[in-house]
Amino acid sequence: MPSRNGEFTRHVTLPSNLEAYHQLIDEIIDELERRGWVPEHLFAIRMALEESISNAVRHGNKHDPNKQVFVDCRCSDRSFWVQVRDEGPGFCPEQVPDCCADDRLEIPGGRGLALMRAFMTRMEYNDRGNVLTMEKVLPK
């Protein structure tokens, strides 16, 4: 829904399952596309949303049907901001091994974090590690 200043905002509570978030992501991407965002940025945001929400379901909430994932986002013609919160105990992102290290190249895990860091302008976790905030700002 557009806000008074032309921003599109969403505040959504999702169940902890891997099917629940696809419609939300499609809606966000459609809105960004209407605002003129190019395919390369749309791909980056879609990937970051899919990774962050699926990580919240799988790793944060451990697929617990009694827990939820909370997604708040806003976008304009030049910026996209999202916060994804799960009800899990959190984690320390600095302790996730570097997926690009020679001894980790064939071991799954950690690639989503690396991709989100690469594709988004800003990415940070709260101290507990259960709230991820990301932002993509288009260059001028």
Side-chain angles (χ1 to χ4, degrees):
M1 81 182 50
S3 68
R4 288 186 201 131
N5 63 3
E7 267 189 354
F8 172 86
T9 61
R10 282 290 177 271
H11 309 284
V12 180
T13 301
L14 300 168
S16 272
N17 71 60
L18 295 175
E19 292 80 38
Y21 60 86
H22 298 288
Q23 181 178 346
L24 172 64
I25 292 175
D26 289 343
E27 182 181 343
I28 292 167
I29 296 301
D30 288 348
E31 178 63 28
L32 290 168
E33 192 170 30
R34 276 191 293 278
R35 291 171 176 269
W37 287 61
V38 297
E40 107 184 50
H41 297 301
L42 296 173
F43 172 82
I45 290 170
R46 179 181 293 279
M47 190 281 316
L49 286 168
E50 288 177 355
E51 276 297 319
S52 60
I53 298 170
S54 69
N55 282 350
V57 170
R58 292 181 310 124
H59 301 297
N61 290 346
K62 307 281 191 225
H63 296 276
D64 184 339
N66 297 311
K67 293 183 178 178
Q68 298 175 317
V69 176
F70 306 91
V71 180
D72 293 313
C73 76
R74 63 180 180 260
C75 67
S76 68
D77 295 347
R78 301 194 30 79
S79 68
F80 171 77
W81 177 92
V82 65
Q83 190 169 78
V84 178
R85 177 173 58 94
D86 63 59
E87 295 185 287
F91 80 114
C92 181
E94 293 81 25
Q95 291 181 355
V96 174
D98 179 4
C99 64
C100 297
D102 289 341
D103 63 335
R104 307 253 339 140
L105 292 176
E106 296 186 29
I107 299 172
R111 286 173 178 71
L113 291 176
L115 288 170
M116 287 186 289
R117 283 186 189 105
F119 283 139
M120 301 304 282
T121 306
R122 180 176 68 89
M123 180 179 143
E124 63 187 37
Y125 283 90
N126 68 342
D127 289 340
R128 182 173 150 189
N130 73 323
V131 179
L132 170 62
T133 303
M134 297 183 291
E135 186 173 31
K136 179 85 171 165
V137 179
L138 296 179
K140 293 185 179 190

